[in-house]
Amino acid sequence: MDDFLAARSQMALSLGFHIIFSCIGMVMPFFMAVSHYLYLKTNKIVYRNITNAWSKGVAIFFATGAVSGTVLSFELGLLWPKFMLHAGPIFGMPFSLEGTAFFIEAIALGFFLYGWDRFNKWFHWFTGVVVGVSGLLSGILVVAANAWMNSPTGFDYIDGKYLNIDPIAAMFNDAWFSQALHMCIAAFAATGFAVAGVHSLMILKKQSIDFHTKSFKIAAIFGTIAAVLQPLSGDISAKFVAKNQPAKLAAMEAHFETEKSASLIIGGIPNIEEKKVDYAIKIPGVLSFMAHGDFNAKVTGLNDIPKENQPPVAITHYAFQIMVGIGMLLMAISLAYFIALWKKKNWLQQKWLLQLFVLATPLGFIAVEAGWTVTEVGRQPWIIKGIMRTADAVTPMPGIAYSFYLFSAVYVSLSIIVAFMLYRQIKMVPKLYDLP
């Protein structure tokens, strides 16, 4: 493994783990706040128990998210020094504000965890809400920084120099809204289905039925609503990509030839040499409509993009197909759940519905990982689109491969520890809260 590949792999590994920790850490506080609110309104002890249980999960993911996020910050400077030399002064503001949001989140979480029966009950609830809001803001700010890499603004690039820097314009770049919206909804969908899946498994095992049933309902409502909204944010993102990153769209769809009334491709295996997609289902005109709102619109193909500027087609295409396929599956489960809530109440007692949620437990996060693969691999070979190539930003320091192996071991160990801690928390629910 050469150093360039090792540096990219290490960033991918770090981001791949951090995105899971951060998604759960910024979404679960909202679940916690809802259960806490229900406890304050109904005075049912089961909701307090749910809040306590979830707050422990929030604390675990806050800690692991903080550690993995700090590692990412150092890696940006250590692995990509040329990138940070020029980009740091431009897009540093969202990172600075994210640090502020992180400190607010840490303080609020401390107040919440140790504030039971010490603060006014509504102030205590409010501190839990602050944990969620500040965590969500942290995620939005980090995504804004990443969006800048896809749509660099807020400076003039003249003769290889970065001049007239405007950090506000850089933070609110053209891509920040579509990326932040899509990421936030994805985080709610992935976390909602993951949490609901765990509780549905406990219901099927007939453990602490009342506790897990109420927990399941809160998480499932969040997750299913987000899953239904996800295609809308996906459409906004796709239209932005079509307009501003045609090479990425071409790779996502394995679209080799520029043409009008372009077909949407479902599945298939890209054949790079023959510039076609084998075994794919094609729907004429739909790609043109989804990209530009017109069935006859022209969609740029890879043939009009210089080969040295083309992203890796196969990886981007497969990742995009996985993301979309899982998104459609989660939306179908969500619609079934809505029908159960409104029309078919007896479905809520059926094992098959709970089993669907159990099967869907990891799917949201697989889709999140696939989506970030599309975002990052689809931008290649650029680290700053159209300005700086990734290969030009990597550190000249040798031995990065050994660093990659070391960090791989650290993250795998961290994930095992987190999984063990969560498993222990779930198994201890009846003991901790004396539930049947």
Side-chain angles (χ1 to χ4, degrees):
M1 179 183 289
D2 61 45
D3 288 337
F4 178 52
L5 180 59
R8 289 187 62 192
S9 299
Q10 185 170 323
M11 283 298 297
L13 175 81
S14 302
L15 180 60
F17 277 95
H18 177 68
I19 197 64
I20 295 176
F21 299 148
S22 60
C23 280
I24 299 174
M26 73 185 195
V27 169
M28 274 201 71
F30 291 100
F31 300 0
M32 183 179 75
V34 170
S35 62
H36 192 185
Y37 176 81
L38 292 173
Y39 166 64
L40 295 177
K41 295 298 288 185
T42 66
N43 207 33
K44 291 182 179 179
I45 193 65
V46 65
Y47 286 118
R48 174 165 175 158
N49 293 339
I50 292 170
T51 306
N52 271 321
W54 279 348
S55 68
K56 290 179 172 60
V58 169
I60 291 170
F61 283 105
F62 176 82
T64 52
V67 171
S68 58
T70 302
V71 170
L72 274 171
S73 298
F74 281 113
E75 285 178 343
L76 280 172
L78 293 173
L79 298 178
W80 314 100
K82 295 179 182 177
F83 166 69
M84 291 303 295
L85 173 67
H86 299 293
I90 304 173
F91 80 155
M93 179 172 284
F95 280 125
S96 300
L97 294 175
E98 191 275 336
T100 303
F102 171 78
F103 283 122
I104 293 172
E105 182 182 5
I107 294 168
L109 181 59
F111 279 175
F112 185 84
L113 292 175
Y114 297 102
W116 286 102
D117 304 320
R118 291 183 175 89
F119 296 140
N120 172 278
K121 64 179 183 179
W122 287 108
F123 175 76
H124 183 224
W125 172 80
F126 177 72
T127 62
V129 174
V130 171
V131 174
V133 172
S134 55
L136 194 62
L137 285 175
S138 292
I140 291 172
L141 289 165
V142 170
V143 171
N146 178 269
W148 178 83
M149 298 163 69
N150 291 314
S151 180
T153 54
F155 66 99
D156 294 322
Y157 186 66
I158 302 173
D159 296 329
K161 297 180 180 180
Y162 299 78
L163 306 173
N164 303 320
I165 294 172
D166 183 351
I168 300 296
M171 183 166 65
F172 295 107
N173 57 80
D174 293 339
W176 85 269
F177 175 76
S178 60
Q179 275 196 221
L181 178 66
H182 197 55
M183 183 62 231
C184 288
I185 295 176
F188 274 94
T191 305
F193 270 92
V195 174
V198 171
H199 290 294
S200 60
L201 179 61
M202 295 300 104
I203 296 169
L204 289 171
K205 289 185 175 183
K206 301 187 184 304
Q207 296 183 11
S208 306
I209 299 295
D210 188 42
F211 177 95
H212 289 296
T213 299
K214 287 180 169 58
S215 302
F216 167 80
K217 186 174 183 179
I218 294 171
I221 288 175
F222 271 101
T224 52
I225 291 175
V228 170
L229 293 176
Q230 192 73 66
L232 300 178
S233 67
D235 181 65
I236 294 172
S237 294
K239 283 181 167 56
F240 173 83
V241 170
K243 180 180 178 182
N244 294 276
Q245 294 179 284
K248 180 184 285 188
L249 180 71
M252 286 160 55
E253 293 289 344
H255 185 63
F256 290 100
E257 302 292 333
T258 299
E259 60 181 350
K260 294 183 178 180
S261 192
S263 299
L264 177 69
I265 292 177
I266 300 175
I269 301 173
N271 187 329
I272 308 300
E273 292 183 0
E274 298 184 18
K275 298 185 183 336
K276 65 177 184 176
V277 183
D278 297 323
Y279 315 113
I281 299 172
K282 296 184 178 181
I283 308 176
V286 174
L287 179 58
S288 292
F289 178 77
M290 293 179 69
H292 302 291
D294 180 357
F295 285 101
N296 294 312
K298 181 187 292 185
V299 178
T300 302
L302 290 166
N303 64 308
D304 279 345
I305 298 166
K307 190 170 183 179
E308 65 273 15
N309 294 339
Q310 293 180 10
V313 176
I315 295 175
T316 309
H317 176 71
Y318 292 138
F320 181 67
Q321 294 290 308
I322 290 170
M323 179 186 69
V324 173
I326 290 176
M328 293 297 101
L329 178 58
L330 295 183
M331 187 171 68
I333 296 173
S334 301
L335 293 176
Y337 184 65
F338 293 152
I339 293 171
L341 286 176
W342 293 330
K343 296 290 185 181
K344 301 284 188 180
K345 298 287 187 181
N346 61 307
W347 286 8
L348 297 173
Q349 311 302 322
Q350 300 295 317
K351 285 187 177 181
W352 64 266
L353 185 62
L354 293 172
Q355 289 168 342
L356 281 178
F357 277 92
V358 173
L359 292 173
T361 300
L363 294 184
F365 286 113
I366 294 173
V368 167
E369 298 285 11
W372 273 105
T373 299
V374 172
T375 299
E376 296 302 296
V377 176
R379 190 180 61 246
Q380 299 307 311
W382 306 101
I383 193 169
I384 307 175
K385 185 183 78 73
I387 303 291
M388 180 185 289
R389 291 180 180 272
T390 309
D392 296 332
V394 71
T395 178
M397 182 180 69
I400 300 299
Y402 299 106
S403 174
F404 168 66
Y405 299 140
L406 175 63
F407 275 85
S408 297
V410 169
Y411 275 110
V412 170
S413 300
L414 183 61
S415 64
I416 292 172
I417 293 169
V418 170
F420 170 74
M421 293 175 69
L422 292 175
Y423 174 78
R424 189 178 66 173
Q425 281 297 121
I426 293 168
K427 294 295 288 184
M428 289 180 68
V429 163
K431 298 178 183 178
L432 288 172
Y433 304 117
D434 193 27
L435 295 170

